Amino acid sequence: MAFRRRFAVRLAARVLLLLVALSVASLLAAYQRAPTAMLLAIGFALIVTIGLWRLITESNAELTRFVAALDRVDLSQSFTWSGRGAGFDRLGAAYERALARLREERSGGAVAATFASALADGAPTPLLVLGPGDALTLGNKAARRQFGRGSPTNVAALDIYGEAFVDLLRGAGPGPSRLGRIVVDGLIQRVVVDTTLIELGGDVRRIVAVKVIQAELDGAELAAQIDLVRVLTHEIMNSLTPVTSLAATAKHLLDALDATGQPAIGDAQLAVGALARRAGELEHFVETYKGFSEAPTLRREPIDVADWLTRTAALHAATPNATAPVTLDIASGLPSLDGDVALLTQVLLNLLKNASEAVAAADDPRIRLTAEARPQGRIRIAVTDTGPGIAPHLAREVFLPFFTTKPRGSGIGLSFARQIVLLHGGQIEVGAEMPSCIELSLPIAANAAHPR
């Protein structure tokens, strides 16, 4: 405001002086008097006109330069005009303050953008940017680690993670989270996706957050199973203990009687004896499962995979359950596993025992134990046999407590194996393409080299 008032006063003063000079020159010319004074008046009018022209021209030029600097976002311009008068020093100061605010806002915006970029890039959840069309951009480090193989540039290139996952991404949109399946390291896992829409350069893009939740689901399921087993074993033992005690007492009393000539007593002795034995077997079964309800403490250490598998296969070969030789197929240069070697050995022995029982009646009994490095810092271990395999509809049920397909099975082996593998942060599944194969995916040791 102050500048505008000063500029208006100066401009009005110059215009007034110009009018006065022109009026004086006109009067002198009309009366043809004092030609020298007339010439001076005309010269003064020219000087005032030139000053007025310069005032307006300089103001317009500097305003043009200021607007051009804004248009080009050239914040390096300077408008310091101290001592030039006519309020130019105030105008320059105003321009400088405006540019200073723009520099500050731009700097703040750059800092915010850098922070947002670093935040997104460091997020543990993979972010995929979809669009325009079928185009794909891996949005952060987690996405590059999870999906960076082959440097995919479109959604179709992710078919190595399963057609269901590709369809899930193509149908992803804003709204509630969507649940689907993804194939990671040859294992089918649950995944949840959340989608956000953004407009960039006139095109709509989708930012899809991909979270593999199989580990969380497995952990919750295992905890529920453990709680269930704990409750069941407690209640069953409370009911079974007096039955076992009474059956043993009744058997003792009946054994003391003379069954000669009394067939009914003999039949009662057989019945009570069978009841006592069965009650004892049930008590032993429940006691065995009580151990399942108490998760063991892991004693982790680096495990040399080749040495561990070789020793475990030799240990299995020395047991009476070995009905077929075990062929080892171990990739060279495998990194160390991170785990409890005693518990993992027990898991592997259980799987080899099951494989031996499965091939017992096979025409060509063979068992193969393989190990190979997988992406994401894991090792795949598989036990494959030439037996009939597990029916597809039972692929999940075989790992549940109490579930068994064997006539005299206890339903402990595979459920115990799954518990131990999950405690290690791994996975265990029936092979998707080979129902006679059990696959394990286990993490490598923290200081081991990750497979490429």
Side-chain angles (χ1 to χ4, degrees):
M1 290 298 293
F3 165 72
R4 287 205 299 263
R5 286 196 299 269
R6 286 174 175 267
F7 183 78
V9 170
R10 296 296 296 273
L11 181 62
R14 295 192 182 206
V15 171
L16 181 61
L17 288 174
L18 177 61
L19 291 176
V20 170
L22 291 175
S23 298
V24 171
S26 299
L27 288 173
L28 292 176
Y31 291 101
Q32 297 182 354
R33 293 182 179 180
T36 302
M38 182 184 66
L39 291 175
L40 289 175
I42 293 174
F44 182 73
L46 289 175
I47 292 173
V48 172
T49 301
I50 293 172
L52 181 62
W53 176 260
R54 287 184 60 187
L55 175 66
I56 296 174
T57 301
E58 287 185 5
S59 299
N60 290 338
E62 294 303 330
L63 179 60
T64 300
R65 187 162 70 94
F66 177 71
V67 174
L70 295 182
D71 182 55
R72 296 192 303 267
V73 198
D74 182 6
L75 305 183
S76 64
Q77 293 289 338
S78 176
F79 296 88
T80 54
W81 303 323
S82 59
R84 294 179 60 177
F88 276 92
D89 52 345
R90 292 177 177 273
L91 178 61
Y95 285 172
E96 287 291 326
R97 287 195 299 271
L99 290 179
R101 283 196 299 270
L102 288 175
R103 292 188 193 103
E104 184 179 350
E105 291 176 2
R106 188 176 187 184
S107 176
V111 171
T114 301
F115 175 76
S117 177
L119 186 65
D121 201 45
T125 300
L127 299 177
L128 304 179
V129 182
L130 308 182
D134 204 42
L136 167 71
T137 302
L138 305 181
N140 61 353
K141 291 179 182 178
R144 292 189 287 274
R145 284 194 300 266
Q146 181 72 54
F147 304 106
R149 282 181 289 169
S151 301
T153 57
N154 56 70
V155 177
L158 298 180
D159 59 354
I160 58 174
Y161 301 98
E163 293 183 6
F165 179 63
V166 173
D167 293 339
L168 180 66
L169 290 181
R170 285 179 171 156
S177 301
R178 301 186 62 185
L179 189 64
R181 296 181 182 276
I182 184 174
V183 179
V184 180
D185 295 341
L187 300 176
I188 298 176
Q189 302 191 41
R190 290 277 188 167
V191 65
V192 63
V193 300
D194 292 279
T195 306
T196 302
L197 295 182
I198 63 169
E199 186 173 346
L200 187 63
D203 293 319
V204 176
R205 288 173 169 80
R206 292 174 294 158
I207 300 179
V208 182
V210 181
K211 172 77 172 167
V212 179
I213 59 172
Q214 190 64 53
E216 289 83 353
L217 292 177
D218 287 340
E221 182 181 343
L222 180 61
Q225 290 176 5
I226 289 175
D227 288 341
L228 176 62
V229 170
R230 184 181 294 112
V231 171
L232 287 178
T233 53
H234 176 74
E235 295 301 325
I236 292 174
M237 285 300 292
N238 285 345
S239 300
L240 188 59
T241 299
V243 173
T244 305
S245 178
L246 290 173
T249 301
K251 181 179 182 302
H252 178 71
L253 293 175
L254 287 174
D255 287 344
L257 298 177
D258 186 5
T260 304
Q262 299 184 53
I265 294 178
D267 293 340
Q269 288 175 333
L270 292 175
V272 171
L275 175 63
R277 285 194 303 274
R278 186 53 184 159
E281 291 171 356
L282 287 175
E283 191 172 35
H284 174 71
F285 174 82
V286 175
E287 284 288 348
T288 301
Y289 251 105
K290 285 179 67 176
F292 177 86
S293 66
E294 299 174 359
T297 300
L298 301 184
R299 290 182 289 184
R300 293 180 179 271
E301 60 180 298
I303 302 174
D304 185 309
V305 178
D307 178 67
W308 168 55
L309 295 183
T310 301
R311 287 188 291 105
T312 304
L315 186 62
H316 167 74
T319 66
N321 300 314
T323 59
V326 177
T327 302
L328 295 175
D329 184 6
I330 304 172
S332 60
L334 291 178
S336 300
L337 278 177
D338 177 34
D340 188 313
V341 65
L343 292 175
L344 289 177
T345 298
Q346 186 60 49
V347 168
L348 198 55
L349 287 175
N350 285 346
L351 297 181
L352 292 173
K353 174 178 175 292
N354 289 346
S356 290
E357 294 174 354
V359 301
D363 296 333
D364 182 21
R366 284 180 290 111
I367 300 173
R368 186 183 180 196
L369 180 58
T370 62
E372 61 181 346
R374 303 294 294 173
Q376 311 302 321
R378 290 181 172 267
I379 292 179
R380 173 185 175 270
I381 298 172
V383 177
T384 308
D385 60 66
T386 54
I390 298 171
H393 67 281
L394 300 178
R396 296 286 297 177
E397 281 76 1
V398 294
F399 296 103
L400 297 176
F402 307 116
F403 183 90
T404 181
T405 58
K406 303 174 184 177
R408 298 181 60 82
S410 64
I412 294 177
L414 288 179
S415 60
F416 169 79
R418 184 166 183 260
Q419 180 187 29
I420 298 304
V421 172
L422 292 181
L423 287 174
H424 280 81
Q427 277 190 278
I428 180 171
E429 299 284 349
V430 177
E433 299 180 358
M434 296 185 63
S436 59
C437 173
I438 300 292
E439 299 181 354
L440 287 77
S441 176
L442 295 169
I444 67 173
N447 57 349
H450 288 246
R452 297 288 181 180

